[in-house]
Amino acid sequence: MQAMNFKDRWVLVTGASSGLGEEMARQLAREGAHLILVARRLERLAALQAELERAHGSHCVTLAADLSRAEDIERVYREASQAGEVYAVILNAGITHFGAHLDLEWQQVNDLIATNVTGVVHLAHRFLPDLIARRQGGGVLLVGSMAGLMPTPFQTAYSGSKAFLSHFGQALAQELRGRHVSVTVFCPGGIDTAMTRDSKLSYFSNTPFLQSVEACAADGLAALRRRQTLFVPGSLNRLQVFMSRFAPRGLVARVAHDAYRRALEPS
Ligand SMILES: NC(=O)c1ccc[n+]([C@@H]2O[C@H](COP(=O)([O-])OP(=O)(O)OC[C@H]3O[C@@H](n4cnc5c(N)ncnc54)[C@H](OP(=O)(O)O)[C@@H]3O)[C@@H](O)[C@H]2O)c1
C-alpha cells in the first residue's frame, strides 16, 4: 500500500480540543485535510475550527461528545459519516491519573477504561468496515503510550489501558493486512501538554524530559502516513523501550515505581 496522503481527505481526530489532538489537527489542516474535530469542550473545538478555516481554508466539522459513553460514539459515527468520506481516524482522546491506584474512586477508574479502551475499540469497530469497503488505503492511528509498553506504577490503570491498545492495535494490523487499510499504534513518552502540566510532578516540570507537542504530533502523523504498525517517538524513548525488553518485567516495574514515588513525594 502507498503512503497515506491527507490532502483533500476527511480525517477524524478525537481529543482535538487540547494538546496532541489539537496540534495534529493543525498540522493536518496545513497539509490540506478536512477535519472532523471531536471532544467534550465544544467552545475549544469551535475556536480551532475558526482558526483552521481562516488559515488554511479547511472544511471543519465539530462534534461535542463524551467518548466514555456508547451513545455518543454511535452519534459521532453517524454524524461524521454524513460530513464526508472518512479516510483516516485518529483515536487520540485519553485521560490519566497520577498517584496510588487505590486512592482513586471506582468511578474514576471506570471512566478511564471507558475513555481509553472501550471508546477507542468502539470507534475503531464502527469506522474500520467503511475504510475497508472504500478501498482507498485509509488508516487508523491509536494513540497509546510508552506506559503501555512498560508496567508503570502510580499510573497503573492508565498503563494497563495503553497496554491493551498496544496489543489490540498490533494484532488488528496483522488481521487487516491486504484489506486496503492500515492500523498504527503511536506510543509517545512524556509530551509537554496539559496532561503532564496538570500532574504537578516535579519530573514533568523538567521539560527536557518532555517532547514538544509540535514534534510529537509530526512524529505521530508521519508514522500513520508510512503505515508503521508501532512507533515510539524520540531516540532516547526508543532506547529505553529496547533496553527494557532485556530486563524481567518485575524489575522494570520496580524501577518505574521507585522513580515515580520519588517524583510524587512533596518537595
Ligand atoms: N501528555 C503526555 O505526556 C502523553 C504521553 C503519552 C501518551 N499520551 C496520550 O496522548 C493523548 C492526548 O493526550 P494529551 O497529552 O494531548 O492530553 P490533553 O491535553 O489532556 O488532551 C486530552 C484530550 O482528550 C479529550 N478527552 C478526554 N476525555 C474525553 C472524553 N471522555 N470524551 C471526549 N474527549 C475526551 C480532551 O477533550 P475534552 O476535555 O474537551 O473532552 C482533550 O482534547 C492521550 O491519549 C494520552 O494518553 C500523552
Side-chain angles (χ1 to χ4, degrees), residues 1 3 13 27 51 57 66 77 81 94 99 110 124 129 133 146-147 167 177 194 211 220 235 238 249:
M1 251 189 309
V13 183
Q27 295 188 12
E51 175 195 322
D66 181 343
Y77 170 64
S81 306
N110 202 34
M146 270 174 69
H167 278 216
R177 270 195 316 169
Q211 188 177 25
S235 39
R238 280 194 291 279
R249 293 286 87 185

Side-chain angles (χ1 to χ4, degrees), residues 89 91 119-129 140 142 168 172:
V89 178
L91 300 175
V120 172
V121 177
H122 191 164
L123 282 165
H125 211 79
R126 283 287 169 262
F127 281 99
L128 271 165
V140 172
L142 307 180
F168 172 74
L172 194 59

Side-chain angles (χ1 to χ4, degrees), residues 14-22 38-42 44 65-69 91-96 111 115-116 143-146 158 162 186-196 198 204 210 213:
T14 70
S17 62
S18 166
L20 187 60
E22 181 178 359
V38 187
R40 290 167 299 187
R41 287 171 292 176
L42 187 58
R44 291 183 65 103
D66 181 343
L67 300 175
S68 67
R69 297 159 57 104
L91 300 175
N92 158 78
I95 53 173
T96 193
D111 287 348
T115 308
N116 293 10
V143 177
S145 168
M146 270 174 69
Y158 176 80
K162 296 295 187 179
F186 179 54
C187 299
I191 320 165
D192 188 10
T193 65
M195 187 177 273
T196 45
D198 296 349
F204 287 134
L210 300 177
V213 72

Side-chain angles (χ1 to χ4, degrees), residues 5 9 16-17 26 33 45-46 55 59 62 70 75 85 92 96 105 111 115 125 128 130 150 153 162 181 214 219 232:
N5 180 348
R9 303 283 202 171
S17 62
R26 275 202 185 93
L45 296 180
H59 298 299
T62 57
R75 179 172 50 78
E85 284 194 349
N92 158 78
T96 193
E105 299 294 334
D111 287 348
T115 308
H125 211 79
L128 271 165
D130 294 347
M150 296 179 282
K162 296 295 187 179
V181 74
E214 292 83 4
D219 284 345
V232 177

Side-chain angles (χ1 to χ4, degrees), residues 31-181:
E31 278 186 59
H34 306 305
L35 290 149
I36 301 162
L37 307 168
V38 187
R40 290 167 299 187
R41 287 171 292 176
L42 187 58
E43 68 292 350
R44 291 183 65 103
L45 296 180
L48 181 62
Q49 174 182 29
E51 175 195 322
L52 301 186
E53 287 178 348
R54 197 174 47 243
H56 309 290
S58 325
H59 298 299
C60 289
V61 172
T62 57
L63 298 177
D66 181 343
L67 300 175
S68 67
R69 297 159 57 104
E71 59 273 29
D72 282 26
I73 287 175
E74 293 291 337
R75 179 172 50 78
V76 164
Y77 170 64
R78 276 196 311 276
E79 294 183 4
S81 306
Q82 281 161 12
E85 284 194 349
V86 176
Y87 169 71
V89 178
I90 298 183
L91 300 175
N92 158 78
I95 53 173
T96 193
H97 298 288
F98 295 94
H101 179 71
L102 291 180
D103 286 350
L104 296 174
E105 299 294 334
W106 168 246
Q107 191 60 47
Q108 293 175 289
V109 179
N110 202 34
D111 287 348
L112 185 149
I113 294 169
T115 308
N116 293 10
V117 178
T118 314
V120 172
V121 177
H122 191 164
L123 282 165
H125 211 79
R126 283 287 169 262
F127 281 99
L128 271 165
D130 294 347
L131 298 186
I132 292 167
R134 237 171 253 139
R135 300 170 71 94
Q136 290 176 337
V140 172
L141 183 73
L142 307 180
V143 177
S145 168
M146 270 174 69
L149 304 177
M150 296 179 282
T152 309
F154 302 115
Q155 269 191 299
T156 293
Y158 176 80
S159 176
S161 74
K162 296 295 187 179
F164 179 101
L165 291 190
S166 157
H167 278 216
F168 172 74
Q170 290 179 85
L172 194 59
Q174 291 309 314
E175 275 192 45
L176 297 179
R177 270 195 316 169
R179 307 276 303 273
H180 309 281
V181 74

